[in-house]
Amino acid sequence: IGHGALITSCTIGNRCLIGQGAVVQEGCEIGNNSIVAAGAVVLPGTLIPSQQLWAGNPAVYVRDVTEDEMSGFIKSAEHYSDVSKEHAEEFLPYGTVYQAAEEKKLI
């Protein structure tokens, strides 16, 4: 699920890509290996079958997802996982404000 995407009360299948800033509204069902393009708005109750690319506002069917795109889903997920592990220790559980308060003995 891309940065800034808004997902509300919907079902998203396995190995899907929801683009940055996309909006998937209530009651939508996104099939496996599907793509919702960046900025797309999927209207309430829309059913997107497996292996389809949808885009636009409102989102409409554009084309079928290629085999290369489907294999890219796994590579992308593995990359995000690797990056998260690399940077996991950089973040404090309560953010830096908590750390500053401890140093000043406010907590």
Side-chain angles (χ1 to χ4, degrees), residues 76-96:
S76 177
E78 289 171 348
H79 172 72
Y80 269 91
S81 178
D82 292 343
V83 170
S84 71
K85 289 174 187 172
E86 182 180 327
H87 295 282
E89 293 183 15
E90 294 177 9
F91 300 101
L92 298 172
Y94 302 103
T96 57

Side-chain angles (χ1 to χ4, degrees), residues 15-17 30-36 48-52 73:
R15 297 170 307 280
C16 290
L17 175 62
I30 314 292
N32 296 333
N33 300 307
S34 292
I35 299 174
V36 175
I48 297 179
S50 293
Q51 301 178 4
Q52 289 191 355
F73 296 158

Side-chain angles (χ1 to χ4, degrees), residues 5-96:
L6 178 62
I7 310 296
T8 55
S9 300
C10 58
T11 302
I12 299 175
N14 296 316
R15 297 170 307 280
C16 290
L17 175 62
I18 309 300
Q20 294 183 11
V23 177
V24 182
Q25 297 181 6
E26 296 85 4
C28 293
E29 293 184 24
I30 314 292
N32 296 333
N33 300 307
S34 292
I35 299 174
V36 175
V41 177
V42 183
L43 297 178
T46 301
L47 304 177
I48 297 179
S50 293
Q51 301 178 4
Q52 289 191 355
L53 166 65
W54 285 50
N57 182 6
V60 295
Y61 170 78
V62 176
R63 62 175 172 78
D64 289 339
V65 174
T66 67
E67 291 294 326
D68 285 341
E69 289 168 327
M70 284 188 276
S71 67
F73 296 158
I74 295 169
K75 291 177 186 172
S76 177
E78 289 171 348
H79 172 72
Y80 269 91
S81 178
D82 292 343
V83 170
S84 71
K85 289 174 187 172
E86 182 180 327
H87 295 282
E89 293 183 15
E90 294 177 9
F91 300 101
L92 298 172
Y94 302 103
T96 57

